[in-house]
Amino acid sequence: MTQASGPLAGIRVLDLSAYIAGPYGCALLADLGAEVIKIEPPVGDNLRKYPSTLAAESRAFLGVNRSKRGVVLDLKQPRDLQRLLALVVDADVLVHNFRPEVPARLGIAYEQLRAVNPRLVYCAVTGYGDTGPLRDKAGYDQVLQTMTGMAAQQGPAGGPPEILYGSVVDYYAASLVTSGVTAALYEREKSGKGQSVGVSLLRSALAMQSARLVWTDSEPRDVGGRDMRSGGITGIHPTREGWLYISANTPHFWTALCGKTGLQELLVERYDSVRKRAQHAQEIVPKLHGALAHRSALEWEALFGEEVPCAAAREVEDMFDFPQVQAEGLISRFEHPVVGGYRAFSGAWEFGRTPGPAPFAAPAIDQHGDELREEADRKGG
């Protein structure tokens, strides 16, 4: 292990969660300097079994479990439950994503663990929260996207609902885990007491749509897609080669777009606002596509420069050597006992005075089990 550093140096986190939201929230805590111990059942985190071109491990597991030590504990076995309780005694944070009825059955509900350690910050990640008719329903990213209207907002207006792949609800929930836990740790510095922190995928999916979730008493149900579409101008467009996203909502950017594409004819009162351009998109978009057909997406990106917000559509693999990503130091090299060497993202924050520790690879299953079980046995007597 590297020497403790970062804003959360000295904080110990017990990560009992699986899949993405809880584990990545704990990985972010590790980025901030916390010591994170990943505790898995004998079968391992289900994410380890997800489809992957890697023969020995899941790419997704490696991506959301960096900088953790790993141990297998079967909490249904009394000895391993006692080992967990021994670790809880001087832990600062515990994170899990069991359904609401499971922790009490296992003997690790908040009230049970608070009796062991009153300073514990206890974060439960659920699908829908711990009350209400859906409390016991399993929650998954794309289920929540579909349920909460996110899928209905994707794709062309009036088209079928579409899933936004990439587990965006999970990853935003992970950020809520991190911010909720750090806020509770800050409050503990004043009160000396821990507390429970609740994060759900439902909260995450709705929080991501705060700009749409506004409905005044005088409005009908359908408020134009809840106002968030800018018309056909802002979006992804075909070019001679490749696809280009363009955002030109402000007068300055609209003027630059028309000038760079030779479409000065569009600089008229009929199109001089975002609302007007949305209303007349069927007139504007064909002309825009005709102009964009003269160059590739990368050529337009270079030509527009800082004058028109845009981006050529790239593959995620392009990010490993992308100049801006390299300049910011966002890709690190890792060594894994089974997979070997790999490159991956790290470093969600930059701190000038208390930079976080160097990241290290996600653990192989039970990689640090012997030392952590021995530690727990010493503490438990």
mmCIF file with all atom_site columns, all heavy atoms in Angstrom, residues 85-104:
data_model
loop_
_atom_site.group_PDB
_atom_site.id
_atom_site.type_symbol
_atom_site.label_atom_id
_atom_site.label_alt_id
_atom_site.label_comp_id
_atom_site.label_asym_id
_atom_site.label_entity_id
_atom_site.label_seq_id
_atom_site.pdbx_PDB_ins_code
_atom_site.Cartn_x
_atom_site.Cartn_y
_atom_site.Cartn_z
_atom_site.occupancy
_atom_site.B_iso_or_equiv
_atom_site.pdbx_formal_charge
_atom_site.auth_seq_id
_atom_site.auth_comp_id
_atom_site.auth_asym_id
_atom_site.auth_atom_id
_atom_site.pdbx_PDB_model_num
ATOM 1   N N   . LEU A 1 85  ? -17.779 -7.481 12.241 1.00 0.00 ? 85  LEU A N   1
ATOM 2   C CA  . LEU A 1 85  ? -18.060 -6.611 13.395 1.00 0.00 ? 85  LEU A CA  1
ATOM 3   C C   . LEU A 1 85  ? -16.775 -6.125 14.044 1.00 0.00 ? 85  LEU A C   1
ATOM 4   O O   . LEU A 1 85  ? -16.705 -4.975 14.517 1.00 0.00 ? 85  LEU A O   1
ATOM 5   C CB  . LEU A 1 85  ? -18.920 -7.360 14.413 1.00 0.00 ? 85  LEU A CB  1
ATOM 6   C CG  . LEU A 1 85  ? -20.316 -7.765 13.923 1.00 0.00 ? 85  LEU A CG  1
ATOM 7   C CD1 . LEU A 1 85  ? -21.055 -8.536 15.006 1.00 0.00 ? 85  LEU A CD1 1
ATOM 8   C CD2 . LEU A 1 85  ? -21.112 -6.547 13.487 1.00 0.00 ? 85  LEU A CD2 1
ATOM 9   N N   . ALA A 1 86  ? -15.740 -6.956 14.045 1.00 0.00 ? 86  ALA A N   1
ATOM 10  C CA  . ALA A 1 86  ? -14.449 -6.529 14.598 1.00 0.00 ? 86  ALA A CA  1
ATOM 11  C C   . ALA A 1 86  ? -13.855 -5.407 13.752 1.00 0.00 ? 86  ALA A C   1
ATOM 12  O O   . ALA A 1 86  ? -13.249 -4.464 14.290 1.00 0.00 ? 86  ALA A O   1
ATOM 13  C CB  . ALA A 1 86  ? -13.487 -7.714 14.661 1.00 0.00 ? 86  ALA A CB  1
ATOM 14  N N   . LEU A 1 87  ? -14.040 -5.484 12.430 1.00 0.00 ? 87  LEU A N   1
ATOM 15  C CA  . LEU A 1 87  ? -13.544 -4.422 11.555 1.00 0.00 ? 87  LEU A CA  1
ATOM 16  C C   . LEU A 1 87  ? -14.376 -3.148 11.697 1.00 0.00 ? 87  LEU A C   1
ATOM 17  O O   . LEU A 1 87  ? -13.858 -2.035 11.548 1.00 0.00 ? 87  LEU A O   1
ATOM 18  C CB  . LEU A 1 87  ? -13.549 -4.889 10.100 1.00 0.00 ? 87  LEU A CB  1
ATOM 19  C CG  . LEU A 1 87  ? -12.581 -6.015 9.742  1.00 0.00 ? 87  LEU A CG  1
ATOM 20  C CD1 . LEU A 1 87  ? -12.800 -6.480 8.307  1.00 0.00 ? 87  LEU A CD1 1
ATOM 21  C CD2 . LEU A 1 87  ? -11.132 -5.580 9.945  1.00 0.00 ? 87  LEU A CD2 1
ATOM 22  N N   . VAL A 1 88  ? -15.669 -3.321 11.991 1.00 0.00 ? 88  VAL A N   1
ATOM 23  C CA  . VAL A 1 88  ? -16.556 -2.162 12.144 1.00 0.00 ? 88  VAL A CA  1
ATOM 24  C C   . VAL A 1 88  ? -16.161 -1.320 13.347 1.00 0.00 ? 88  VAL A C   1
ATOM 25  O O   . VAL A 1 88  ? -16.340 -0.094 13.352 1.00 0.00 ? 88  VAL A O   1
ATOM 26  C CB  . VAL A 1 88  ? -18.030 -2.633 12.270 1.00 0.00 ? 88  VAL A CB  1
ATOM 27  C CG1 . VAL A 1 88  ? -18.929 -1.495 12.763 1.00 0.00 ? 88  VAL A CG1 1
ATOM 28  C CG2 . VAL A 1 88  ? -18.528 -3.148 10.926 1.00 0.00 ? 88  VAL A CG2 1
ATOM 29  N N   . VAL A 1 89  ? -15.583 -1.936 14.362 1.00 0.00 ? 89  VAL A N   1
ATOM 30  C CA  . VAL A 1 89  ? -15.285 -1.240 15.618 1.00 0.00 ? 89  VAL A CA  1
ATOM 31  C C   . VAL A 1 89  ? -14.505 0.044  15.383 1.00 0.00 ? 89  VAL A C   1
ATOM 32  O O   . VAL A 1 89  ? -14.798 1.088  15.989 1.00 0.00 ? 89  VAL A O   1
ATOM 33  C CB  . VAL A 1 89  ? -14.524 -2.173 16.588 1.00 0.00 ? 89  VAL A CB  1
ATOM 34  C CG1 . VAL A 1 89  ? -13.971 -1.382 17.775 1.00 0.00 ? 89  VAL A CG1 1
ATOM 35  C CG2 . VAL A 1 89  ? -15.433 -3.283 17.073 1.00 0.00 ? 89  VAL A CG2 1
ATOM 36  N N   . ASP A 1 90  ? -13.504 -0.004 14.520 1.00 0.00 ? 90  ASP A N   1
ATOM 37  C CA  . ASP A 1 90  ? -12.723 1.216  14.294 1.00 0.00 ? 90  ASP A CA  1
ATOM 38  C C   . ASP A 1 90  ? -12.794 1.686  12.846 1.00 0.00 ? 90  ASP A C   1
ATOM 39  O O   . ASP A 1 90  ? -11.945 2.450  12.394 1.00 0.00 ? 90  ASP A O   1
ATOM 40  C CB  . ASP A 1 90  ? -11.265 1.020  14.728 1.00 0.00 ? 90  ASP A CB  1
ATOM 41  C CG  . ASP A 1 90  ? -10.589 -0.136 14.003 1.00 0.00 ? 90  ASP A CG  1
ATOM 42  O OD1 . ASP A 1 90  ? -11.231 -0.769 13.158 1.00 0.00 ? 90  ASP A OD1 1
ATOM 43  O OD2 . ASP A 1 90  ? -9.401  -0.391 14.296 1.00 0.00 ? 90  ASP A OD2 1
ATOM 44  N N   . ALA A 1 91  ? -13.827 1.246  12.118 1.00 0.00 ? 91  ALA A N   1
ATOM 45  C CA  . ALA A 1 91  ? -14.051 1.765  10.767 1.00 0.00 ? 91  ALA A CA  1
ATOM 46  C C   . ALA A 1 91  ? -14.737 3.126  10.855 1.00 0.00 ? 91  ALA A C   1
ATOM 47  O O   . ALA A 1 91  ? -15.379 3.468  11.862 1.00 0.00 ? 91  ALA A O   1
ATOM 48  C CB  . ALA A 1 91  ? -14.905 0.792  9.956  1.00 0.00 ? 91  ALA A CB  1
ATOM 49  N N   . ASP A 1 92  ? -14.610 3.890  9.815  1.00 0.00 ? 92  ASP A N   1
ATOM 50  C CA  . ASP A 1 92  ? -15.286 5.192  9.747  1.00 0.00 ? 92  ASP A CA  1
ATOM 51  C C   . ASP A 1 92  ? -16.554 5.135  8.904  1.00 0.00 ? 92  ASP A C   1
ATOM 52  O O   . ASP A 1 92  ? -17.509 5.857  9.169  1.00 0.00 ? 92  ASP A O   1
ATOM 53  C CB  . ASP A 1 92  ? -14.332 6.233  9.150  1.00 0.00 ? 92  ASP A CB  1
ATOM 54  C CG  . ASP A 1 92  ? -13.109 6.445  10.001 1.00 0.00 ? 92  ASP A CG  1
ATOM 55  O OD1 . ASP A 1 92  ? -13.223 7.099  11.047 1.00 0.00 ? 92  ASP A OD1 1
ATOM 56  O OD2 . ASP A 1 92  ? -12.034 5.930  9.622  1.00 0.00 ? 92  ASP A OD2 1
ATOM 57  N N   . VAL A 1 93  ? -16.542 4.291  7.881  1.00 0.00 ? 93  VAL A N   1
ATOM 58  C CA  . VAL A 1 93  ? -17.636 4.259  6.908  1.00 0.00 ? 93  VAL A CA  1
ATOM 59  C C   . VAL A 1 93  ? -17.922 2.808  6.537  1.00 0.00 ? 93  VAL A C   1
ATOM 60  O O   . VAL A 1 93  ? -17.001 1.994  6.407  1.00 0.00 ? 93  VAL A O   1
ATOM 61  C CB  . VAL A 1 93  ? -17.269 5.042  5.626  1.00 0.00 ? 93  VAL A CB  1
ATOM 62  C CG1 . VAL A 1 93  ? -18.408 4.993  4.602  1.00 0.00 ? 93  VAL A CG1 1
ATOM 63  C CG2 . VAL A 1 93  ? -16.901 6.488  5.954  1.00 0.00 ? 93  VAL A CG2 1
ATOM 64  N N   . LEU A 1 94  ? -19.200 2.486  6.360  1.00 0.00 ? 94  LEU A N   1
ATOM 65  C CA  . LEU A 1 94  ? -19.600 1.210  5.774  1.00 0.00 ? 94  LEU A CA  1
ATOM 66  C C   . LEU A 1 94  ? -20.614 1.503  4.677  1.00 0.00 ? 94  LEU A C   1
ATOM 67  O O   . LEU A 1 94  ? -21.564 2.279  4.882  1.00 0.00 ? 94  LEU A O   1
ATOM 68  C CB  . LEU A 1 94  ? -20.197 0.275  6.818  1.00 0.00 ? 94  LEU A CB  1
ATOM 69  C CG  . LEU A 1 94  ? -20.593 -1.126 6.307  1.00 0.00 ? 94  LEU A CG  1
ATOM 70  C CD1 . LEU A 1 94  ? -20.287 -2.200 7.370  1.00 0.00 ? 94  LEU A CD1 1
ATOM 71  C CD2 . LEU A 1 94  ? -22.082 -1.181 5.938  1.00 0.00 ? 94  LEU A CD2 1
ATOM 72  N N   . VAL A 1 95  ? -20.421 0.882  3.523  1.00 0.00 ? 95  VAL A N   1
ATOM 73  C CA  . VAL A 1 95  ? -21.318 1.077  2.381  1.00 0.00 ? 95  VAL A CA  1
ATOM 74  C C   . VAL A 1 95  ? -21.811 -0.292 1.928  1.00 0.00 ? 95  VAL A C   1
ATOM 75  O O   . VAL A 1 95  ? -21.029 -1.233 1.796  1.00 0.00 ? 95  VAL A O   1
ATOM 76  C CB  . VAL A 1 95  ? -20.595 1.786  1.215  1.00 0.00 ? 95  VAL A CB  1
ATOM 77  C CG1 . VAL A 1 95  ? -21.526 1.935  0.005  1.00 0.00 ? 95  VAL A CG1 1
ATOM 78  C CG2 . VAL A 1 95  ? -20.072 3.155  1.648  1.00 0.00 ? 95  VAL A CG2 1
ATOM 79  N N   . HIS A 1 96  ? -23.126 -0.398 1.694  1.00 0.00 ? 96  HIS A N   1
ATOM 80  C CA  . HIS A 1 96  ? -23.662 -1.634 1.129  1.00 0.00 ? 96  HIS A CA  1
ATOM 81  C C   . HIS A 1 96  ? -24.795 -1.299 0.167  1.00 0.00 ? 96  HIS A C   1
ATOM 82  O O   . HIS A 1 96  ? -25.319 -0.179 0.166  1.00 0.00 ? 96  HIS A O   1
ATOM 83  C CB  . HIS A 1 96  ? -24.152 -2.581 2.233  1.00 0.00 ? 96  HIS A CB  1
ATOM 84  C CG  . HIS A 1 96  ? -25.426 -2.159 2.904  1.00 0.00 ? 96  HIS A CG  1
ATOM 85  N ND1 . HIS A 1 96  ? -26.667 -2.244 2.300  1.00 0.00 ? 96  HIS A ND1 1
ATOM 86  C CD2 . HIS A 1 96  ? -25.663 -1.646 4.147  1.00 0.00 ? 96  HIS A CD2 1
ATOM 87  C CE1 . HIS A 1 96  ? -27.600 -1.811 3.112  1.00 0.00 ? 96  HIS A CE1 1
ATOM 88  N NE2 . HIS A 1 96  ? -27.011 -1.428 4.242  1.00 0.00 ? 96  HIS A NE2 1
ATOM 89  N N   . ASN A 1 97  ? -25.193 -2.270 -0.645 1.00 0.00 ? 97  ASN A N   1
ATOM 90  C CA  . ASN A 1 97  ? -26.349 -2.072 -1.524 1.00 0.00 ? 97  ASN A CA  1
ATOM 91  C C   . ASN A 1 97  ? -27.325 -3.243 -1.443 1.00 0.00 ? 97  ASN A C   1
ATOM 92  O O   . ASN A 1 97  ? -27.933 -3.643 -2.433 1.00 0.00 ? 97  ASN A O   1
ATOM 93  C CB  . ASN A 1 97  ? -25.910 -1.837 -2.977 1.00 0.00 ? 97  ASN A CB  1
ATOM 94  C CG  . ASN A 1 97  ? -25.276 -3.056 -3.610 1.00 0.00 ? 97  ASN A CG  1
ATOM 95  O OD1 . ASN A 1 97  ? -24.680 -3.884 -2.932 1.00 0.00 ? 97  ASN A OD1 1
ATOM 96  N ND2 . ASN A 1 97  ? -25.400 -3.179 -4.937 1.00 0.00 ? 97  ASN A ND2 1
ATOM 97  N N   . PHE A 1 98  ? -27.500 -3.766 -0.224 1.00 0.00 ? 98  PHE A N   1
ATOM 98  C CA  . PHE A 1 98  ? -28.504 -4.798 -0.003 1.00 0.00 ? 98  PHE A CA  1
ATOM 99  C C   . PHE A 1 98  ? -29.909 -4.194 -0.084 1.00 0.00 ? 98  PHE A C   1
ATOM 100 O O   . PHE A 1 98  ? -30.103 -3.000 0.184  1.00 0.00 ? 98  PHE A O   1
ATOM 101 C CB  . PHE A 1 98  ? -28.320 -5.433 1.381  1.00 0.00 ? 98  PHE A CB  1
ATOM 102 C CG  . PHE A 1 98  ? -27.011 -6.149 1.558  1.00 0.00 ? 98  PHE A CG  1
ATOM 103 C CD1 . PHE A 1 98  ? -26.102 -5.728 2.528  1.00 0.00 ? 98  PHE A CD1 1
ATOM 104 C CD2 . PHE A 1 98  ? -26.679 -7.231 0.760  1.00 0.00 ? 98  PHE A CD2 1
ATOM 105 C CE1 . PHE A 1 98  ? -24.902 -6.394 2.706  1.00 0.00 ? 98  PHE A CE1 1
ATOM 106 C CE2 . PHE A 1 98  ? -25.476 -7.895 0.929  1.00 0.00 ? 98  PHE A CE2 1
ATOM 107 C CZ  . PHE A 1 98  ? -24.576 -7.475 1.893  1.00 0.00 ? 98  PHE A CZ  1
ATOM 108 N N   . ARG A 1 99  ? -30.879 -5.010 -0.426 1.00 0.00 ? 99  ARG A N   1
ATOM 109 C CA  . ARG A 1 99  ? -32.259 -4.549 -0.350 1.00 0.00 ? 99  ARG A CA  1
ATOM 110 C C   . ARG A 1 99  ? -32.608 -4.253 1.112  1.00 0.00 ? 99  ARG A C   1
ATOM 111 O O   . ARG A 1 99  ? -32.004 -4.808 2.032  1.00 0.00 ? 99  ARG A O   1
ATOM 112 C CB  . ARG A 1 99  ? -33.206 -5.611 -0.921 1.00 0.00 ? 99  ARG A CB  1
ATOM 113 C CG  . ARG A 1 99  ? -32.981 -5.865 -2.403 1.00 0.00 ? 99  ARG A CG  1
ATOM 114 C CD  . ARG A 1 99  ? -34.084 -6.742 -2.972 1.00 0.00 ? 99  ARG A CD  1
ATOM 115 N NE  . ARG A 1 99  ? -33.657 -7.430 -4.175 1.00 0.00 ? 99  ARG A NE  1
ATOM 116 C CZ  . ARG A 1 99  ? -34.443 -8.192 -4.917 1.00 0.00 ? 99  ARG A CZ  1
ATOM 117 N NH1 . ARG A 1 99  ? -35.706 -8.366 -4.560 1.00 0.00 ? 99  ARG A NH1 1
ATOM 118 N NH2 . ARG A 1 99  ? -33.967 -8.788 -5.995 1.00 0.00 ? 99  ARG A NH2 1
ATOM 119 N N   . PRO A 1 100 ? -33.586 -3.380 1.362  1.00 0.00 ? 100 PRO A N   1
ATOM 120 C CA  . PRO A 1 100 ? -33.814 -2.884 2.722  1.00 0.00 ? 100 PRO A CA  1
ATOM 121 C C   . PRO A 1 100 ? -34.019 -3.948 3.792  1.00 0.00 ? 100 PRO A C   1
ATOM 122 O O   . PRO A 1 100 ? -33.659 -3.730 4.954  1.00 0.00 ? 100 PRO A O   1
ATOM 123 C CB  . PRO A 1 100 ? -35.065 -2.011 2.563  1.00 0.00 ? 100 PRO A CB  1
ATOM 124 C CG  . PRO A 1 100 ? -34.971 -1.499 1.165  1.00 0.00 ? 100 PRO A CG  1
ATOM 125 C CD  . PRO A 1 100 ? -34.402 -2.649 0.372  1.00 0.00 ? 100 PRO A CD  1
ATOM 126 N N   . GLU A 1 101 ? -34.598 -5.107 3.439  1.00 0.00 ? 101 GLU A N   1
ATOM 127 C CA  . GLU A 1 101 ? -34.877 -6.086 4.477  1.00 0.00 ? 101 GLU A CA  1
ATOM 128 C C   . GLU A 1 101 ? -33.679 -6.970 4.808  1.00 0.00 ? 101 GLU A C   1
ATOM 129 O O   . GLU A 1 101 ? -33.686 -7.697 5.810  1.00 0.00 ? 101 GLU A O   1
ATOM 130 C CB  . GLU A 1 101 ? -36.061 -6.980 4.056  1.00 0.00 ? 101 GLU A CB  1
ATOM 131 C CG  . GLU A 1 101 ? -35.727 -8.097 3.067  1.00 0.00 ? 101 GLU A CG  1
ATOM 132 C CD  . GLU A 1 101 ? -35.630 -7.640 1.626  1.00 0.00 ? 101 GLU A CD  1
ATOM 133 O OE1 . GLU A 1 101 ? -35.774 -6.411 1.379  1.00 0.00 ? 101 GLU A OE1 1
ATOM 134 O OE2 . GLU A 1 101 ? -35.416 -8.496 0.750  1.00 0.00 ? 101 GLU A OE2 1
ATOM 135 N N   . VAL A 1 102 ? -32.622 -6.924 4.004  1.00 0.00 ? 102 VAL A N   1
ATOM 136 C CA  . VAL A 1 102 ? -31.511 -7.867 4.155  1.00 0.00 ? 102 VAL A CA  1
ATOM 137 C C   . VAL A 1 102 ? -30.587 -7.538 5.334  1.00 0.00 ? 102 VAL A C   1
ATOM 138 O O   . VAL A 1 102 ? -30.197 -8.442 6.088  1.00 0.00 ? 102 VAL A O   1
ATOM 139 C CB  . VAL A 1 102 ? -30.714 -7.981 2.845  1.00 0.00 ? 102 VAL A CB  1
ATOM 140 C CG1 . VAL A 1 102 ? -29.441 -8.808 3.027  1.00 0.00 ? 102 VAL A CG1 1
ATOM 141 C CG2 . VAL A 1 102 ? -31.595 -8.583 1.750  1.00 0.00 ? 102 VAL A CG2 1
ATOM 142 N N   . PRO A 1 103 ? -30.155 -6.282 5.536  1.00 0.00 ? 103 PRO A N   1
ATOM 143 C CA  . PRO A 1 103 ? -29.171 -6.007 6.591  1.00 0.00 ? 103 PRO A CA  1
ATOM 144 C C   . PRO A 1 103 ? -29.572 -6.516 7.975  1.00 0.00 ? 103 PRO A C   1
ATOM 145 O O   . PRO A 1 103 ? -28.744 -7.102 8.686  1.00 0.00 ? 103 PRO A O   1
ATOM 146 C CB  . PRO A 1 103 ? -29.043 -4.481 6.558  1.00 0.00 ? 103 PRO A CB  1
ATOM 147 C CG  . PRO A 1 103 ? -29.354 -4.126 5.140  1.00 0.00 ? 103 PRO A CG  1
ATOM 148 C CD  . PRO A 1 103 ? -30.439 -5.068 4.739  1.00 0.00 ? 103 PRO A CD  1
ATOM 149 N N   . ALA A 1 104 ? -30.823 -6.308 8.373  1.00 0.00 ? 104 ALA A N   1
ATOM 150 C CA  . ALA A 1 104 ? -31.245 -6.770 9.705  1.00 0.00 ? 104 ALA A CA  1
ATOM 151 C C   . ALA A 1 104 ? -31.161 -8.284 9.797  1.00 0.00 ? 104 ALA A C   1
ATOM 152 O O   . ALA A 1 104 ? -30.792 -8.841 10.850 1.00 0.00 ? 104 ALA A O   1
ATOM 153 C CB  . ALA A 1 104 ? -32.670 -6.295 10.006 1.00 0.00 ? 104 ALA A CB  1
#
